[in-house]
Amino acid sequence: MRVWIVIGLVLGFSQVSAINRTDSLLQVLDRVLARRGDYDQIKIQRINALKQQVKSVSEGKRYALYAEICTEYEKFVYDSASTYITRLKEEAYRERDPSRIAFSKTKLGFIYLSAGMFNEALDTLLTIENKQMPDSLRSEYFGILARCYFDLSDYNGDESFTSMYTNIGLRYIDSALLLSGKGSRQFMALSAMKYVKTNYLDSAKQVLMDMISNLKLSNPNLAIAASTLGHVYRLEGDTEGAIQMHIRAAIADNMASTKETLAMLRLAELLYPKGDITRAYDYVKIAMADANFYGARHRKVQVAAIFPIIEGNKLGTAERQRRLLFIYAILITVSSVVIVSFAVIIYKQSRKIRIADRNIQAANKSLHEANTQLQEVNKHLMEANKIKEEYIGYYFNINSEYLMKISAFKQGVENKLMAKKFDDIRLVVNNINLKKEREDLYLSFDKVFLKLFPDFVSTFNSLFKEEDRIELKEGQLLNTELRIFALIRMGIHDTEKIAKILDYSINTIYNYKARLKSRSLVPNDEFERHIMQIKAI
């Protein structure tokens, strides 16, 4: 009840745009779909209660209970409906009541029709002696026959048979109308069906709107009326109106646990061209689940015709977005690692500078120390200050460049996403050359380092024999081996940090260091101390 109050409020505010009304209705539908299991459980409990009653009543009362169970099952589960209609028919024959026999056969024909078994439905319905029925049942009987021929016309698709089946259906619907009381739900529903089939869409629309507005329809009947009105809107080209009516039909169907329905499928077909791929995919999956649950052959065929199209588009979109997000995450991660790594370098240098400052203060308080010690302290201070000046400037320059690149990349991706130009995002991402960015980063580091330690390469090579010395290629400032010990000279002794900065594994860094130390002229445990003694300018 609360759901329909919400729907009434949404539709009642005429100043709200059609799109806003559609969005509000979709939110209601999504809440109802979240409770599909609850609605099904309520129906199952109701059916189980009726089955329990059957066990405890006398034979004369079983017919009415079987009829109720058949009504519960007829749009819920085909196999169960068929089983209980068979029992209903057996009870009717046992009682030898012609009217009840005709009613049970009519019910059987209806579920055959619902399951898409058109030949079986016609074979059953056309054997019924309808003159023995009351007018209300005859009207229902002719209405089911009319729908059977109309569905057969739609399903067949052959123009020569379509016209023939439609004309037969119209004759049966006229017979049904003659036996229905004017103004009744049955009369209005039959009239709307006839108007649709004869292409009097305005008349059909008026009748259906009157039904929805003025009759207290049950959820199953409301679903049929709203779905039919949605079909009329669709024929008129009013896509938004069609969507809203099919949403209302889908809400009513799910609240009634109706599995033999087209509303969810039609809604998915309408949302798909509008670009709402996610909802279209979710709804077409529900339509397929309902068709399988009920066992409707023709519904499975109808869903199968559109399901691969929507599913393919959905999977393609999801895969593209996944790849873009993965690449974006990698870029951000790499950039973050680089920034954090240099932040660590600066932090360590700042710590050295603070230590050097404390040493200076201690040296000033200890004037009695030798002048040579004071000169050594001053030398370390000058070196530390030089490193601080060069690398703080280098750090902020590198960070500024990376922040600008990340900002431009982020803005570009957001613009493309907002414009739904997903393919263009790939072009934006492909323009980023991570290899070149890393090479530029190393080149920049090499220049700043050699500016501070211009004799580093020659001093480093002096620790080896002539044949073991490193020869740089043309255009190289440092290679990987030199860069490892350049970082060590900068005070970064943690192998794991060096590996992260240079994008190598820890084992690879260990191997480089071990290989060089094994070839050097100095003992392995003294090698790094000699590196730390290389002088800055």
Side-chain angles (χ1 to χ4, degrees):
M1 180 62 71
R2 291 180 180 176
V3 170
W4 290 110
I5 291 173
V6 172
I7 296 173
L9 290 172
V10 170
L11 295 177
F13 294 113
S14 58
Q15 71 272 23
V16 181
S17 69
I19 293 176
N20 287 338
R21 288 199 300 274
T22 299
D23 289 341
S24 299
L25 282 170
L26 284 171
Q27 292 173 17
V28 174
L29 173 58
D30 288 340
R31 289 198 293 272
V32 170
L33 292 177
R35 295 191 57 201
R36 271 166 60 87
D38 296 337
Y39 295 125
D40 289 350
Q41 194 58 40
I42 291 170
K43 189 175 190 71
I44 290 169
Q45 290 173 358
R46 192 163 60 242
I47 292 171
N48 289 337
L50 291 170
K51 290 179 180 179
Q52 285 298 118
Q53 291 182 47
V54 170
K55 296 178 181 178
S56 60
V57 300
S58 61
E59 287 186 348
K61 295 181 180 180
R62 286 178 186 168
Y63 180 88
L65 288 172
Y66 283 149
E68 285 189 60
I69 294 173
C70 291
T71 300
E72 292 288 350
Y73 271 132
E74 66 185 4
K75 291 190 175 183
F76 187 52
V77 181
Y78 164 75
D79 289 339
S80 299
S82 178
T83 298
Y84 277 90
I85 286 175
T86 299
R87 296 182 186 179
L88 180 71
K89 190 168 65 170
E90 290 171 353
E91 282 294 312
Y93 276 106
R94 188 187 61 77
E95 295 176 4
R96 297 180 181 179
D97 186 329
S99 177
R100 289 187 170 184
I101 292 171
F103 175 79
S104 63
K105 286 186 174 182
T106 301
K107 282 284 188 183
L108 183 58
F110 178 73
I111 69 148
Y112 282 153
L113 172 61
S114 299
M117 302 164 64
F118 301 119
N119 290 331
E120 291 83 351
L122 288 174
D123 289 344
T124 301
L125 293 169
L126 294 176
T127 62
I128 298 173
E129 182 55 56
N130 68 81
K131 292 181 180 178
Q132 297 177 353
M133 303 179 188
D135 285 352
S136 59
L137 182 54
R138 289 182 71 201
S139 174
E140 182 180 349
Y141 166 75
F142 287 129
I144 293 172
L145 269 171
R147 183 189 149 184
C148 187
Y149 279 104
F150 289 150
D151 285 2
L152 191 57
S153 171
D154 293 338
Y155 186 74
N156 185 276
D158 189 317
E159 183 62 34
S160 58
F161 289 101
T162 297
S163 178
M164 179 184 71
Y165 291 143
T166 300
N167 289 332
I168 296 173
L170 288 172
R171 287 200 296 272
Y172 278 118
I173 212 167
D174 285 337
S175 298
L177 284 168
L178 289 173
L179 297 167
S180 302
K182 288 189 176 181
S184 66
R185 183 197 63 77
Q186 174 78 349
F187 184 87
M188 295 176 77
L190 291 168
S191 298
M193 190 188 305
K194 179 179 179 180
Y195 286 138
V196 171
K197 290 300 176 181
T198 53
N199 208 33
Y200 287 96
L201 300 183
D202 287 340
S203 299
K205 185 163 58 177
Q206 186 60 54
V207 171
L208 292 165
M209 291 173 67
D210 287 345
M211 287 181 66
I212 294 172
S213 301
N214 300 324
L215 299 182
K216 294 182 178 179
L217 300 175
S218 64
N219 277 328
N221 290 327
L222 176 60
I224 294 170
S227 182
T228 307
L229 182 54
H231 177 61
V232 172
Y233 280 131
R234 192 175 188 180
L235 292 174
E236 290 182 333
D238 184 355
T239 302
E240 211 62 41
I243 290 174
Q244 290 175 19
M245 284 302 108
H246 280 102
I247 294 172
R248 295 191 65 179
I251 292 171
D253 278 333
N254 281 279
M255 291 180 70
S257 290
T258 299
K259 305 301 181 183
E260 200 293 292
T261 173
L262 268 177
M264 291 299 293
L265 175 61
R266 295 292 179 245
L267 183 55
E269 290 175 339
L270 289 163
L271 292 175
Y272 174 68
K274 291 173 67 66
D276 196 345
I277 306 299
T278 300
R279 270 202 173 97
Y281 177 67
D282 291 339
Y283 293 169
V284 81
K285 283 199 300 183
I286 292 172
M288 178 61 82
D290 285 345
N292 288 327
F293 187 90
Y294 182 79
R297 301 175 185 177
H298 60 318
R299 297 295 183 236
K300 293 178 185 179
V301 172
Q302 290 171 314
V303 175
I306 187 67
F307 187 82
I309 299 171
I310 296 177
E311 183 182 38
N313 194 300
K314 166 70 175 177
L315 293 176
T317 300
E319 180 60 22
R320 287 194 298 273
Q321 291 176 344
R322 188 193 67 79
R323 287 199 301 268
L324 289 172
L325 289 173
F326 181 71
I327 293 170
Y328 186 74
I330 289 175
L331 292 173
I332 296 299
T333 301
V334 170
S335 300
S336 300
V337 168
V338 172
I339 292 172
V340 169
S341 298
F342 278 95
V344 170
I345 294 173
I346 299 302
Y347 174 73
K348 286 183 173 291
Q349 297 308 313
S350 297
R351 288 185 62 189
K352 284 190 174 183
I353 292 170
R354 289 197 296 271
I355 292 170
D357 288 338
R358 286 197 293 271
N359 290 337
I360 293 172
Q361 292 175 5
N364 289 333
K365 292 178 181 180
S366 305
L367 295 176
H368 60 278
E369 292 183 2
N371 185 51
T372 55
Q373 183 181 0
L374 181 59
Q375 289 178 347
E376 187 65 24
V377 170
N378 287 334
K379 188 183 296 183
H380 282 297
L381 180 61
M382 290 175 63
E383 179 180 283
N385 284 334
K386 186 63 179 178
I387 293 172
K388 177 181 70 173
E389 291 172 3
E390 290 294 331
Y391 270 88
I392 287 178
Y394 169 66
Y395 168 78
F396 281 108
N397 183 54
I398 290 294
N399 277 4
S400 177
E401 289 180 1
Y402 271 93
L403 287 173
M404 289 175 65
K405 289 180 180 179
I406 291 173
S407 176
F409 175 77
K410 179 176 179 292
Q411 185 62 48
V413 171
E414 287 180 348
N415 290 340
K416 298 301 181 184
L417 286 173
M418 290 177 64
K420 297 185 178 180
K421 295 182 178 180
F422 300 114
D423 290 333
D424 290 351
I425 296 177
R426 186 180 292 107
L427 296 177
V428 174
V429 172
N430 289 340
N431 284 336
I432 298 175
N433 189 332
L434 290 177
K435 181 178 179 182
K436 184 177 183 306
E437 291 290 334
R438 187 171 289 282
E439 289 175 353
D440 290 345
L441 180 65
Y442 292 158
L443 180 61
S444 179
F445 170 82
D446 295 347
K447 288 179 179 178
V448 174
F449 180 82
L450 291 176
K451 184 177 179 182
L452 287 167
F453 301 91
D455 299 324
F456 179 82
V457 176
S458 59
T459 305
F460 184 92
N461 275 329
S462 69
L463 300 175
F464 299 88
K465 296 177 182 178
E466 183 69 25
E467 62 271 19
D468 292 329
R469 292 177 180 175
I470 294 175
E471 293 184 8
L472 295 171
K473 297 178 182 179
E474 184 177 354
Q476 274 189 319
L477 298 178
L478 297 175
N479 62 8
T480 301
E481 295 166 318
L482 289 169
R483 207 170 282 126
I484 290 170
F485 287 95
L487 289 169
I488 291 173
R489 179 61 186 86
M490 291 297 298
I492 303 172
H493 298 278
D494 190 329
T495 303
E496 184 177 354
K497 288 187 174 66
I498 294 173
K500 286 182 179 180
I501 293 171
L502 298 181
D503 195 32
Y504 287 105
S505 68
I506 294 175
N507 287 338
T508 300
I509 300 300
Y510 274 126
N511 290 338
Y512 272 120
K513 290 169 68 175
R515 187 166 60 246
L516 284 172
K517 288 179 180 180
S518 67
R519 299 203 308 262
S520 70
L521 298 172
V522 298
N524 287 358
D525 55 352
E526 293 289 320
F527 185 82
E528 289 190 17
R529 186 175 66 79
H530 281 78
I531 295 299
M532 295 303 295
Q533 290 177 351
I534 296 175
K535 303 296 183 182
I537 58 173

